[in-house]
Structures are given as structure tokens and as C-alpha cells.
């Protein structure tokens, strides 16, 4: 027995020595953000046994021989094979994001599905691909990263959110912004730092479960949760500055404006026979003293200053046997580049899940957010661009000078306003606070049946104040003005679902059914008044023109939804869903709308003839059809309403205000989608979709016969059809131990048409800049005279006139100098023909570089700025834009090269026409981000897991032929705005930031 024991001990010692000499150790790191990957699986190729990485990404594994191949895998990353030798230590293995799938499981609808089970058009963006851009909203971060998602930064104002459109515009009056869903519940608030991933649902197969609220697509936000058992902390600090980007709106300097205005003194009287066409310098110098050349004040430089940006974020997360938790707090502060503007927000989020038993989980999520900021008055920005460089905004003591029409000193600018003085003596402040609390219960009744209840209550209060001091020049001088608006929103939503999942060998069946209740109320109150004492900014000191306003708005939505999914042999997948919504926005007989969807997929790569293919990793065909709807035109549009704002015989008087329509019903969008997903050589991933979206029964204000007594009534009439193609391409171009290069490319082609309108032509638009809706026409189609250049003999502006025969057919085109005779024509749409992004990521050892670009092509933008800043002498006391190199003002008869009319013969030259309608296409280097992960040895000395430092630049450069400000212009219609019209907007900003990120 002693001999046996001795032999056993020797064998164990030898085995341990052999094991130690044949083991290897190392660390697994994400190549995209240089972060360690806990829980990554490590195995030896050909063997089942293996190991996994610890919380800091490290591992140790024994080899069966002197050399072997390790297979490394982690959820959401590409598997990697690495050849190693026994005894190797400190091996660093980088894993790349899986270009086929960012995660094995995707949150879609009211459930989660494996990527292989998806039958719909879905895009997923991880937080790592979002955080290269620092902003106060996720929309800005998504620009150029999702096929079919158009993101327009139409304003650079602090706190401004971008306009987002998914697969074009599919309605005339309904809100076209996608529905946001946070952690499985519609609506909600969050901070970009708390985002784990973004899922974009594009077709009806994925959006129909959200029914009437998903007419413009769905963006699902999943916030962070714990990934490992150990408590992990993350600290990130970002700071930098931004500068205003004026695009190609370069204003003339004092000397340039001085020389340009000589053209106003050319000896030319229209109709006279003794014109010399020479400049009358004597008269010019008498009215424009030479000393003006020395008075050069850059108004844009004085009004727009470099501004600081700060963003701080701290989080903690961890897991225990009974509890998963995450808590994050962030502070964001951006100063505005325009004087006296800014925005700041603090956000606190806490997510926790309690595992009360093997069957019961309870989650509590809370998000608290408070913000405050200063906005601006449009006219102050207007004057900041148009005031002349001959006017000094400051007095001898450096204080902003007061100017009005009675000022005794010379003020050259047309409008006797110094906007710097006005801004200093006015305030446009806003503040808000909101809270969202989510309570979720998940109870696994059996192995195949689960009950889920997700509930949210929310409340938000916002207050905005516009104040102008009595000392400010203009309308409120010696009077002052204050306007205050308070808004209180509160409501709740409850989703209650039964979910089932059967696995029956070759067959798999899953689905859900449940009820949803949603309701909310908005309360508005405020007042305004004039006659304020200097220095007081409260309503109760207003002594005259006092007005009080207030109203409430309530909405309710009740829904039933169901879904059924069937899979056969992991190859053939069918899915169907059905939702019924009941809305208080429609008459009782029309309150309920039905929204079905059906989809299918064939996972060809799982067929026997493709299994084991060294070329095709994944190939799937998809098809779907479904219906979504909208009620988004406001409450009570179907009712006959009376206005109670008048009096009769000293009593409240009622005046008919809205014509009733008891037949008003849902606007519905019928969506068809066909697509495929293809992955090749574990390096190339291609996704393509073809879609057609037909929105029927548009909710429109339709003109009524005069005998009715009302001009319009809300009706269902017409439809909008969007057809398009989306392509997304991801490639791993180079990957090895030290270097990696990954490319993402996406593009979307979209065509938009209108049919079935009750009238042949419907004009819209503001500022006398018309757009037209007509059958078989485009949305947001500009409708105006066509500019035809300059009459070389007279210098007069010309427009195109179309000659029609008696049958109304165009038979000829000619030029006319009479603006009233010019033919109004369709001139192009504000919507692009295609748009997309091209992004590249590079990694060399511990260095990372990401370059994001975005492009937009085929839309028209009307530069309303130019009618003021290229005005041919109509307004000689406005500053002017530098003319393009090929531009030339007419100088005399026979001047065939002139592009700008004679100031002496320019009648109606600045009236609306295609002269100021420009090509809105552009290509922009959206973002460049460079980062470096410090050596691990250095981090360990500071008791940190890792430290990453980085620098980023946003809006680096924009390439465009557009003359004026940044061509990114609003695509949202409104009372004072027209889609595609650029009008002295708050400039977008160039941003330069430094970031340090620590994990421990």
C-alpha cells in the first residue's frame, strides 16, 4: 500500500509540473474600445474542455501538447483562432465586433430573439459605435450608422435634438419622428452614457406590435446592466470646445463691401438714351466716406464665440446571486457659440433586478433628469448676420452701444438695432425636471410559459420664460416684455403579457399575447405682459397688455396584441402578429384600428448543402408585410368645437371653431419588405432590403364648399407611397495580432409620391416660399418661377415663361423680364434621393482610430438668407455675402458674362425663384476619434484595470456646392418653417474634445 501511495504522489507531482509547463496565460480584449472581455470562452481546438476569462479579461488554460490552437469566443464578437506554444504568458488576444450580429440576442418588439430567428428588417448599433460622438442625444450619434435612417442636425443651438426620418416621409400631418422605446416600454427618458445598445426597427414585421405609435419606425434603447459578478466602476470625463460653422456664408469685409457698393452708383437710368454706364465716383465718395474702409467690425465674430463643452459620467454595476444592479450619474454642459446661450443637464439612472426565486424576477428602474438652458431670439441672430461692418457695436468703454431710430450718431445698418446690446438686456431661459419609474415583473409559470408585466409612471415639468428689458431697443423699449409658459405632463403605461416557448425537436413555437393600457395628460398655463420696471423679471409686475392662457390635453390608448413564431429545423421561420388599438382621438364607432403583420425567413446557410461551407457563413432570405397606423393629429379633431374666447352682451360667447366629422378614422401605413443577409469568409457581411410603404387615408384638412361656412375640415383623403432600397456592407479588411481595419458602409435610395388628393394642387409653405402637393408628385416639392439669368442688353433679371395651347399643353418656353408673367413650376423636392454613411475603424496595438462620414444627395434647399445677403442693392444697408468666383454684376449692354442683375434694373430680382434654390447635396467628415489605452502595468500601479485617453473632432469638414450656411436644413413643416428652407439658423458647430476613461 505504501508503494502504491508513493507512486500516486509521484504521478500527481509530475502531472502538476507537466500541467504548469504546458499552460498558457493571457488576456482577451475588445478591439473596438480596448476594454477587457470578461466571460469569454477559451478552448483548445478539437477538445471540448476549456476555460473562461475572469472579470479583468485574463485566463489560464492547459495545453495537451507543446503547440496547440486556441479558439476564443464571446457573445457579440467574432470567434478567433490563435496558435500558441506551451509556457507562453501574457498573450493579448483582440476580438472584433461580429459584423453579422452585434449580439446573439436582439431586443425586438415586446420580446427578444436570436439573430438567426429574425424575419424582419432590423439594425443594431452597440454603445461602442455611438460614443465616438459626444452629444446630449442619441440621434446625433446615429448619423451615418444605420441604413435608411436620415439624421438632420438642422440647428446647432445648445440642447437641440436632430430631426430623424426612417425610410423617408410617409405622412403629411402626422409626426414623422420614430417612436422611442426604453427598456421595453414606450417613451421614457435616459442619458446617452447609460445606453447599452440601439435597435432600429424598420419594417412592419418588427414595428406592427407597436401599432398606431410606430408609423414612423421604432428606435429601441436598451440601457446598461451588470455584466459580471464583481462590482465594476467606470469613470469618464470629457472636455473641449466648439466653434460655429458658417459653411459658405462668408460675409464681406469693410473694404469688400465698400468696393461692391460702387456698383450702386453706375450711370444707368432704365429707358434713358444718354447712359454712360460708368460709376459716378464723386457721388459715391460723397455718400460713402473713405474712412469707412477703416471701420471693419466682424459682427459674426462678436456674436459667435468659441464655447466650452463638458461631460462627466460615473457608473457602478455588479451581480450577486440575488441581485443585478447598475447605477450611473452624468453631467453635461455645453455653452452656446452664440452669445448668452447654453444648456446643461444632470441625469441619474439606477437599474436593478432581484431574483427572488428561480421563477420570479422583479426589476426596478428609475431615471431622474434635470436641465436648464438659455435660448435666443431669432431676430438677434438675424441682425448679427446682416448688420454692416461699418458699425461699431461698442462704445469707447467697451460696452454694447444702444441704438435706435432716434440715435444722433451715424448707424449705417438698415435696422437700428445692436443685437449685442439686446442680448445683454434680455433672457430666454428654460428649465425642466422629469422622472420615470419602471416596475417590471417576470414570472416563469412553467418551463414554457412566462408572465411579464412592465409598467412605467412618469412626470415632467418644464418652464420657459422670454424676457426683454425696458432698456433694450426695439418694440419693447421703455416698456419691457415678459412671457411665461409652464407645462406639466404626467401619465403611465402598463404592458401585461403571457409569453410561451415550445421546443419540440425539429419544431419550435413561441409567441405572446397581452393587453396594454396607456394614458397621459398635459397641462399648460402661462401669461404675458408689458410695462415692466427695469430689473424685475416676474409676471406680477407687468402693468399693461396682460394676457393669461391655459389649457389641458388628455389622451388614452387601449391595446390588445399577440404574436406567434414558428421555426422548422432552424431553417424555415414564420412569424405573425396582430395588434388592436383603441384611441380617444376618434369617434366611438371609429376608435379601434387593427394592425396585422406577417413575415417569413429561410436560413439557407443551415441547409445541408451549405453546412461546412468555407465561403458562406450566413445566408438568409426575408419577406414581410404588415400595417401600422397613426392618430397623431391632436385630440378631438372629429368633434364640432366652439371657441369661448369672445363675449356677447357681457357674457361668455361661443363662436363655431371646428366642423365635425363623425367618420374620421385611422391613417394606416401598409408596408412590404423583401431582403437578405449574407456573410462571407467570416469577414464580409451584406444586408439588402427593398421596401414599399403605402400610407392610406391620410389625415388632412380638406377645403370645404363656401356654403358650409368653414374653410376646412379634418378628413381621410389621399395616400403617400415610399419605395426604396437599403444596403448595408460591413467588412473586416485586415485583422492580425497588431493591426485591424474594419469598414462599415450603408446607403438608402428612397422615392416618395403622393396620390388620391381631393384637389389637383395643394400649396403649402411660409415666407412666400411655396411648396406643392399634387397627385403623382413629391412631398415637399418647391413651387416657384424658374430663374433664367440676366438680360445681357439691359441687365434685368429674367425668368422662364411657358406658353400653353388651348388644350393646356406646353408648346414653347421663353424668357421674360416681367416677374408677374413668369410661370410657377415644380422645381425639386427638399427630400434627398439617397443618403448614407461610410465609416472606418483602425487598430494598431493599443491605438485606435475611427473615421465616420455621412453623405446626402439629390435634395433642394432654398437659401432664404441669400435674398437678404445677395440682394442687388435692394437693401444697400445690409451686409452682403462674398459672391462666388464665377459671379459678376452686369456692367453695360453686351455684357454676356454677367450672372447678377444691374442694381439699377433689378426689379423683383429677390422675389422667390429658383435663383436662391440650391443643390443641398453634401459629404461630411462627421467625426474623427483617436484613442490610446495606456499600458496595463501603468494602470495596475494606480489600482485601475485600464485607462483609455482619446481625442475627437466632430463636423470636421463639409464638402458641398451649397452657397450659404450648412446645407443641413429642417425637414419638418410648421407654422413658421418650410422643409428645405435655410433661414439664418443657429449654425452647427465644429467640436474638439479630449476624453479620459477609467475602469476599475
Amino acid at each position: 500500500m505504501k508503494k502504491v501511495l508513493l507512486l500516486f504522489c509521484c504521478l500527481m507531482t509530475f502531472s502538476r509540473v507537466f500541467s504548469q509547463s504546458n499552460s498558457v496565460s493571457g488576456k482577451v480584449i475588445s478591439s473596438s474600445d480596448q476594454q477587457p472581455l470578461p466571460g469569454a470562452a477559451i478552448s483548445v481546438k478539437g477538445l471540448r474542455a476549456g476555460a473562461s476569462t475572469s472579470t479583468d479579461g485574463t485566463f489560464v488554460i492547459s495545453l495537451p501538447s507543446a503547440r496547440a490552437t486556441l479558439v476564443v469566443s464571446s457573445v457579440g464578437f467574432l470567434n478567433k483562432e490563435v496558435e500558441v506554444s506551451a509556457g507562453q504568458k501574457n498573450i493579448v488576444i483582440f476580438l472584433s465586433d461580429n459584423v453579422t450580429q452585434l449580439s446573439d440576442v436582439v431586443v425586438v418588439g415586446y420580446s427578444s430573439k436570436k439573430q438567426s430567428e429574425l424575419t424582419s428588417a432590423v439594425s443594431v448599433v452597440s454603445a461602442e459605435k455611438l460614443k465616438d460622438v459626444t452629444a446630449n442625444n442619441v440621434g446625433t450619434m446615429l448619423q451615418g450608422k444605420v441604413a435608411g435612417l436620415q439624421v438632420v442636425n438642422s440647428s446647432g443651438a445648445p440642447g437641440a435634438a436632430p430631426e430623424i426620418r426612417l425610410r423617408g416621409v410617409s405622412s403629411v400631418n402626422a409626426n414623422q419622428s420614430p417612436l422611442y422605446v426604453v427598456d421595453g416600454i414606450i417613451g421614457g427618458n435616459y442619458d446617452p452614457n447609460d445606453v447599452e445598445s440601439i435597435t432600429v426597427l424598420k419594417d412592419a414585421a418588427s414595428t406592427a406590435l407597436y401599432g398606431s405609435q410606430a408609423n414612423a419606425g421604432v428606435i429601441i434603447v436598451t440601457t446598461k446592466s451588470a455584466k459580471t459578478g464583481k462590482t465594476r466602476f467606470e469613470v469618464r470625463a470629457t472636455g473641449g470646445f466648439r466653434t460655429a460653422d458658417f459653411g459658405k456664408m462668408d460675409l464681406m469685409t469693410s473694404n469688400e463691401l465698400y468696393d461692391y457698393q460702387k456698383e450702386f452708383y453706375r450711370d444707368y437710368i432704365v429707358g434713358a438714351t444718354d447712359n454712360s454706364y460708368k460709376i459716378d465716383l464723386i457721388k459715391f465718395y460723397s455718400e460713402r466716406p473713405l474712412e469707412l474702409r477703416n471701420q471693419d467690425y466682424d459682427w459674426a465674430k462678436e456674436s459667435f464665440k468659441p464655447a466650452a463643452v463638458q461631460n462627466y459620467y460615473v457608473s457602478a454595476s455588479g451581480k450577486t446571486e440575488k441581485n443585478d444592479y447598475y447605477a450611473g450619474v452624468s453631467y453635461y454642459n455645453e455653452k452656446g457659440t452664440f452669445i448668452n446661450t447654453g444648456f446643461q443637464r444632470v441625469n441619474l439612472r439606477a437599474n436593478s433586478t432581484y431574483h427572488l426565486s428561480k421563477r420570479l424576477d422583479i426589476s426596478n428602474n428609475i431615471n431622474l433628469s434635470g436641465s436648464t438652458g438659455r435660448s435666443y431670439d431669432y431676430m438677434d441672430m438675424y441682425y448679427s448676420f446682416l448688420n454692416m461692418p461699418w458699425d461699431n457695436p461698442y462704445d469707447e468703454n467697451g460696452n454694447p452701444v444702444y441704438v435706435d431710430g432716434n440715435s444722433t450718431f451715424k448707424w449705417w445698418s438698415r435696422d437700428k438695432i445692436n443685437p449685442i446690446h439686446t442680448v445683454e438686456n434680455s433672457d430666454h431661459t428654460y428649465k425642466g425636471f422629469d422622472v420615470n419609474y419602471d416596475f417590471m415583473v417576470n414570472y416563469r409559470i412553467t418551463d414554457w410559459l412566462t408572465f411579464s408585466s412592465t409598467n412605467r409612471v412618469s412626470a415632467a415639468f418644464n418652464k420657459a420664460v422670454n424676457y426683454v428689458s425696458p432698456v433694450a431697443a426695439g418694440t419693447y423699449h421703455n416698456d419691457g416684455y415678459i412671457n411665461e409658459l409652464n407645462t406639466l405632463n404626467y401619465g403611465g403605461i402598463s404592458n401585461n403579457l403571457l409569453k410561451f416557448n415550445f421546443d419540440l425537436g425539429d419544431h419550435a413555437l413561441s409567441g405572446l399575447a397581452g393587453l396594454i393600457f396607456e394614458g397621459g395628460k398635459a397641462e399648460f398655463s402661462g401669461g404675458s405682459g408689458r410695462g415692466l420696471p427695469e430689473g424685475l423679471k416676474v409676471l406680477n409686475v407687468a402693468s399693461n397688455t396682460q394676457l393669461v392662457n391655459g389649457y389641458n390635453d388628455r389622451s388614452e390608448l387601449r391595446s390588445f396584441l399577440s404574436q406567434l413564431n414558428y421555426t422548422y429545423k432552424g431553417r424555415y421561420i414564420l412569424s405573425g402578429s396582430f395588434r388592436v388599438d383603441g384611441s380617444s382621438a376618434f369617434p366611438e364607432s371609429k376608435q379601434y384600428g387593427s394592425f396585422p403583420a406577417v413575415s417569413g425567413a429561410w436560413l439557407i446557410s443551415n441547409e445541408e448543402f451549405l453546412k461546412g461551407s468555407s465561403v458562406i457563413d450566413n445566408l438568409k432570405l426575408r419577406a414581410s408585410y404588415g400595417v401600422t397606423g397613426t392618430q397623431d393629429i391632436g385630440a378631438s379633431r372629429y368633434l364640432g368645437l366652439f371657441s369661448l374666447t369672445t363675449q356677447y352682451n357681457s357674457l361668455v360667447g361661443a363662436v363655431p371653431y371646428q366642423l365635425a366629422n363623425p367618420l374620421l378614422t385611422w391613417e394606416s401605413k401598409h408596408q412590404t419588405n423583401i431582403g437578405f443577409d449574407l456573410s462571407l469568409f467570416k469577414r464580409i457581411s451584406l444586408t439588402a432590403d427593398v421596401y414599399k410603404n403605402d400610407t392610406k387615408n391620410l389625415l388632412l384638412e380638406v377645403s370645404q364648399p363656401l356654403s358650409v361656412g368653414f374653410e376646412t375640415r379634418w378628413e381621410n383623403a389621399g395616400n403617400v407611397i415610399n419605395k426604396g432600397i437599403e444596403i448595408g456592407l460591413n467588412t473586416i479588411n485586415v485583422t492580425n495580432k497588431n493591426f485591424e481595419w474594419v469598414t462599415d458602409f450603408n446607403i438608402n435610395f428612397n422615392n416618395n409620391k403622393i396620390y388620391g388628393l381631393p384637389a389637383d394642387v395643394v400649396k403649402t409653405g411660409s415666407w412666400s416660399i411655396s411648396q406643392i402637393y399634387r397627385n403623382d408628385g413629391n412631398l415637399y416639392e418647391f413651387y416657384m418661377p424658374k430663374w433664367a439669368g440676366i438680360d445681357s442688353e439691359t441687365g434685368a433679371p429674367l425668368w422662364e415663361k411657358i406658353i400653353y395651347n388651348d388644350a393646356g399643353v406646353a408648346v414653347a418656353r421663353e424668357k421674360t423680364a416681367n416677374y408677374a408673367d413668369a410661370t410657377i413650376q415644380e422645381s425639386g423636392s427638399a427630400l434627398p434621393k439617397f443618403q448614407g454613411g461610410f465609416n472606418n475603424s483602425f487598430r494598431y496595438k493599443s491605438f485606435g482610430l475611427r473615421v465616420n462620414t455621412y453623405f446626402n444627395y439629390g435634395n433642394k434647399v432654398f437659401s432664404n438668407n441669400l435674398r437678404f445677403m445677395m440682394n442687388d442693392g435692394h437693401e444697400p444697408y445690409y451686409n452682403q455675402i462674398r459672391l462666388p468666383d464665377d459671379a459678376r454684376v452686369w456692367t453695360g449692354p453686351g455684357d454676356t458674362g454677367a450672372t447678377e442683375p444691374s442694381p439699377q434694373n433689378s426689379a423683383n430680382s429677390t422675389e422667390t425663384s429658383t435663383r436662391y434654390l440650391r443643390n443641398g447635396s453634401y459629404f461630411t467628415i462627421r467625426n474623427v476619434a483617436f484613442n490610446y489605452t495606456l499600458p496595463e502595468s501603468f494602470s495596475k500601479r494606480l489600482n485601475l484595470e485600464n485607462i483609455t485617453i482619446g481625442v475627437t473632432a466632430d463636423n470636421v469638414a463639409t464638402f458641398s456646392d451649397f452657397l450659404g450656411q450648412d446645407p443641413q436644413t429642417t425637414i419638418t413643416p410648421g407654422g413658421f418653417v418650410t422643409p428645405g428652407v435655410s433661414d439664418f439658423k443657429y449654425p452647427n458647430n465644429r467640436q474638439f474634445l479630449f476624453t479620459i476613461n477609467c475602469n476599475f
Side-chain angles (χ1 to χ4, degrees), residues 139-140 142-143 149-153 162-164 835 854 922 968:
T140 299
L142 284 172
Q143 189 177 50
L149 194 71
Q150 181 186 10
V151 180
V152 178
N153 293 300
E163 298 173 33
I164 300 178
Q835 52 87 32
Y854 180 75
Y922 65 92
Q968 294 192 70

Side-chain angles (χ1 to χ4, degrees), residues 372-687:
T372 182
R374 291 181 181 270
S375 187
Y376 66 100
D377 186 277
Y378 166 84
M379 294 307 298
D380 291 331
M381 189 162 296
Y382 171 90
Y383 295 131
S384 295
F385 283 117
L386 290 178
N387 274 5
M388 303 180 76
W390 301 337
D391 293 319
N392 184 353
Y394 301 103
D395 61 20
E396 61 275 7
N397 298 318
N399 299 314
V401 63
Y402 173 86
V403 183
D404 66 14
N406 298 318
S407 297
T408 56
F409 56 89
K410 182 65 176 178
W411 186 265
W412 290 91
S413 301
R414 192 199 78 166
D415 300 297
K416 308 302 183 183
I417 294 289
N418 179 358
I420 296 177
H421 181 275
T422 306
V423 169
E424 193 171 87
N425 289 282
S426 60
D427 262 324
H428 309 283
T429 60
Y430 59 91
K431 61 187 69 174
F433 178 84
D434 63 69
V435 57
N436 293 278
Y437 171 68
D438 301 345
F439 178 75
M440 294 166 275
V441 176
N442 197 67
Y443 181 66
R444 290 172 287 279
I445 301 171
T446 68
D447 292 339
W448 57 268
L449 183 63
T450 301
F451 171 73
S452 172
S453 179
T454 56
N455 309 272
R456 172 178 293 144
V457 291
S458 60
F461 176 78
N462 294 279
K463 178 179 182 178
V465 178
N466 285 314
Y467 164 78
V468 180
S469 169
V471 304
T475 305
Y476 305 115
H477 182 58
N478 287 328
D479 208 9
Y481 173 76
I482 187 170
N483 178 62
E484 183 175 305
L485 175 65
N486 301 296
T487 306
L488 174 64
N489 294 281
Y490 52 93
I493 183 170
S494 179
N495 307 321
N496 301 279
L497 306 173
L498 282 172
K499 303 178 182 180
F500 61 89
N501 192 337
F502 294 101
D503 192 349
L504 307 172
D506 289 341
H507 307 273
L509 194 65
S510 64
L512 58 86
L515 298 172
I516 295 177
F517 306 95
E518 182 177 356
K521 189 173 183 180
E523 299 180 3
F524 303 85
S525 64
S528 63
R530 299 174 64 169
L532 308 175
E534 185 178 343
L536 294 180
K537 305 179 182 179
V538 290
L539 278 171
N540 68 343
V541 300
S543 60
N544 61 64
T545 321
Q546 297 171 340
L547 294 174
V548 176
N549 60 70
Y551 62 96
N552 299 334
D553 190 8
R554 189 179 70 177
S555 62
E556 292 182 3
L557 190 68
R558 302 171 297 278
S559 306
F560 164 78
L561 71 157
S562 60
Q563 185 181 57
L564 183 64
N565 310 299
Y566 170 72
T567 303
Y568 177 65
K569 290 189 174 180
R571 305 171 194 168
Y572 315 106
I573 309 161
L574 289 175
S575 181
S577 66
F578 186 74
R579 174 164 176 152
V580 177
D581 280 352
S583 171
S584 58
F586 298 111
E588 188 173 345
S589 61
K590 302 288 184 180
Q591 281 188 350
Y592 288 91
S594 301
F595 307 104
V598 61
S599 59
W602 177 21
L603 195 56
I604 304 175
S605 53
N606 277 2
E607 295 287 358
E608 293 296 332
F609 58 83
L610 280 182
K611 279 190 176 179
S613 172
S614 60
V615 176
I616 298 177
D617 309 311
N618 178 66
L619 176 59
K620 182 197 289 184
L621 297 181
R622 297 177 279 101
S624 68
Y625 172 80
V627 181
T628 56
T630 186
Q631 51 163 341
D632 190 24
I633 58 170
S636 306
R637 298 299 190 186
Y638 68 95
L639 292 173
L641 299 179
F642 290 82
S643 172
L644 301 176
T645 58
T646 60
Q647 286 192 340
Y648 178 77
N649 196 23
S650 299
L651 299 175
V652 176
V655 177
Y657 171 73
Q658 177 175 283
L659 186 62
N661 183 359
L663 301 178
L664 198 67
T665 189
W666 296 84
E667 183 178 297
S668 60
K669 183 162 72 172
H670 300 248
Q671 306 178 51
T672 304
N673 190 96
I674 299 174
F676 70 86
D677 306 313
L678 174 64
S679 179
L680 304 172
F681 305 109
K682 301 188 185 308
R683 285 176 176 259
I684 301 171
S685 176
L686 174 66
T687 297

Side-chain angles (χ1 to χ4, degrees), residues 881-926:
I881 196 171
R882 287 192 181 104
L883 296 177
D885 294 338
D886 59 350
R888 200 172 84 231
V889 178
W890 184 88
T891 59
D895 188 353
T896 57
T899 60
E900 313 303 316
S902 165
Q904 292 75 35
N905 192 16
S906 59
N908 296 312
S909 66
T910 60
E911 293 298 319
T912 302
S913 75
T914 59
R915 179 188 185 189
Y916 301 130
L917 189 66
R918 303 290 169 140
N919 182 359
S921 304
Y922 65 92
F923 174 83
T924 179
I925 301 177
R926 177 69 186 87

Side-chain angles (χ1 to χ4, degrees), residues 8 108 156 161 169 195 201 388 431 434 448 496 563 614 630 640 748 753 834-835 868 917 924 941 970 995:
F8 178 76
V108 52
V169 177
V195 173
L201 311 183
M388 303 180 76
K431 61 187 69 174
D434 63 69
W448 57 268
N496 301 279
Q563 185 181 57
S614 60
T630 186
N748 165 239
K753 294 292 182 183
F834 66 81
Q835 52 87 32
F868 297 95
L917 189 66
T924 179
R941 285 202 297 268
T970 181
T995 298

Side-chain angles (χ1 to χ4, degrees), residues 80-216:
K80 193 167 189 176
E81 296 185 359
V82 181
E83 291 188 2
V84 295
S85 301
Q88 274 188 270
K89 296 181 180 179
N90 300 321
I91 302 170
V92 179
I93 301 173
F94 289 95
L95 292 190
S96 304
D97 288 340
N98 192 332
V99 297
T100 304
Q101 56 186 43
L102 287 169
S103 173
D104 286 340
V105 177
V106 176
V107 179
V108 52
Y110 288 89
S111 61
S112 299
K113 293 184 179 181
K114 294 181 180 178
Q115 280 276 359
S116 59
E117 297 173 344
L118 290 178
T119 59
S120 52
V122 174
S123 293
V124 184
V125 183
S126 68
E128 302 308 325
K129 291 189 177 182
L130 292 173
K131 69 181 184 181
D132 48 16
V133 176
T134 297
N136 70 306
N137 62 83
V138 166
T140 299
M141 300 174 174
L142 284 172
Q143 189 177 50
K145 297 174 182 176
V146 177
L149 194 71
Q150 181 186 10
V151 180
V152 178
N153 293 300
S154 58
S155 173
E163 298 173 33
I164 300 178
R165 300 292 180 267
L166 184 61
R167 293 184 168 182
V169 177
S170 58
S171 182
V172 173
N173 287 308
N175 182 9
Q176 289 300 284
S177 297
L179 173 71
Y180 279 82
V181 176
V182 180
D183 290 335
I185 307 176
I186 291 174
N189 203 6
Y190 60 95
D191 186 89
N193 291 295
D194 294 321
V195 173
E196 180 73 31
S197 67
I198 298 289
T199 304
V200 181
L201 311 183
K202 303 177 183 180
D203 64 350
S206 55
T207 63
L209 272 178
Y210 292 101
S212 61
Q213 296 165 291
N215 198 53

